[in-house]
Amino acid sequence: ALPTRHGQRVALQVTVAATTLAGLDDHPATLGSYGPIPAQVARELAQDATWRRILTDPTTGQARSVGTQTYRPGADLTRTVQARDVTCTFPGCRQPSTRCEIDHRIPYNHTRRPSDQPHDPQTCEANLHSLCTHHHQAKTKGWWRVTHDRHTGISTWTDRHGLTYARHPIPILIAPSALEHAPPPPPPSDWGDPRF
C-alpha cells in the first residue's frame, strides 16, 4: 500500500492559474515539492486530474479558506493549510508542508466547548500551520513561541531567550508582471556636464 499522510492518498499537486488552464495565457505553473513547470505540461496533467479550487489573496498570493470547529482539521482544511504554507513555517526550514504535521498556533483547549465562543473556532485556517516533526516538538516543549499576523502572513518565532525571527509567507502564484525587471531610468539631461 502506498503511504498516506494526513489521511490523504498520494497526490501530485500542481498550482496553476485558471486562465492558464483555459488557454488564455501561458503563465508557468508550480509542481509541488519541485518548482515551475511549463503551462502546456500543467494543462496535460490537468486533463485527467481531480481539480481543487484554492482561492488566493491577490495581494499576498496566500491561500484562504473557511475553518472548522473540530480538533483535527478536515481534508479540505488540511490541503488549504499545506497549500498556503508551502514548507514548514519555522524560519529557514524547507521541509515541504505535505510532509509536515498540522499544528495549532494557539494550543487547542480541549476543555472549551464550541458553544462557548461559536464565532472563534480553534481549528481554523488562521490558527493552523505546518510544522515538521522536529519544530513541532520544539514548540510543544516550550523552546519556541509563535505569533502570526493574519494580514501580512508573517509568523514571528521567539526563543526562550527572547530572540525573535520572522518567517515570511511564500506566495504560491506570482503575477508575471512581478518577475519583469524595468530598464534603468535614463541619465539626467545634465549628465556629462563638467560643471556637475
Side-chain angles (χ1 to χ4, degrees):
L2 291 172
T4 61
R5 194 174 279 272
H6 302 294
Q8 300 176 56
R9 292 178 294 168
V10 174
L12 184 67
Q13 179 179 331
V14 178
T15 305
V16 60
T19 53
T20 303
L21 283 179
L24 301 175
D25 58 50
D26 286 322
H27 300 314
T30 303
L31 177 61
S33 299
Y34 176 76
I37 59 173
Q40 184 57 37
V41 173
R43 285 192 282 265
E44 289 175 20
L45 290 171
Q47 288 177 2
D48 295 320
T50 300
W51 294 14
R52 287 195 170 76
R53 181 188 64 185
I54 299 177
L55 298 177
T56 59
D57 182 325
T59 307
T60 64
Q62 288 185 287
R64 298 288 182 211
S65 184
V66 177
T68 176
Q69 293 190 9
T70 60
Y71 174 70
R72 289 220 175 264
D76 289 338
L77 182 55
T78 296
R79 280 189 290 271
T80 299
V81 171
Q82 290 171 339
R84 180 202 63 206
D85 292 344
V86 183
T87 65
C88 170
T89 59
F90 189 84
C93 185
R94 294 293 167 240
Q95 181 75 265
S97 60
T98 54
R99 295 170 61 187
C100 291
E101 300 168 356
I102 302 297
D103 175 54
H104 290 82
R105 287 186 181 106
I106 299 171
Y108 189 87
N109 181 351
H110 291 277
T111 62
R112 191 178 100 176
R113 297 178 310 224
S115 59
D116 291 344
Q117 293 176 323
H119 301 295
D120 183 24
Q122 297 181 77
T123 303
C124 61
E125 182 265 335
N127 192 37
L128 296 175
H129 62 158
S130 303
L131 285 181
C132 67
T133 303
H134 174 74
H135 292 122
H136 189 180
Q137 289 301 314
K139 178 184 167 286
T140 301
K141 291 178 181 176
W143 298 345
W144 292 91
R145 289 186 327 271
V146 63
T147 58
H148 180 73
D149 183 336
R150 181 160 171 75
H151 299 293
T152 63
I154 297 172
S155 295
T156 303
W157 289 81
T158 306
D159 73 2
R160 292 178 290 183
H161 307 290
L163 298 174
T164 60
Y165 302 88
R167 195 274 194 173
H168 293 263
I170 301 171
I172 62 170
L173 187 61
I174 300 172
S177 60
L179 303 175
E180 295 174 5
H181 295 285
S189 60
D190 57 2
W191 187 266
D193 188 332
R195 293 179 297 162
F196 297 102

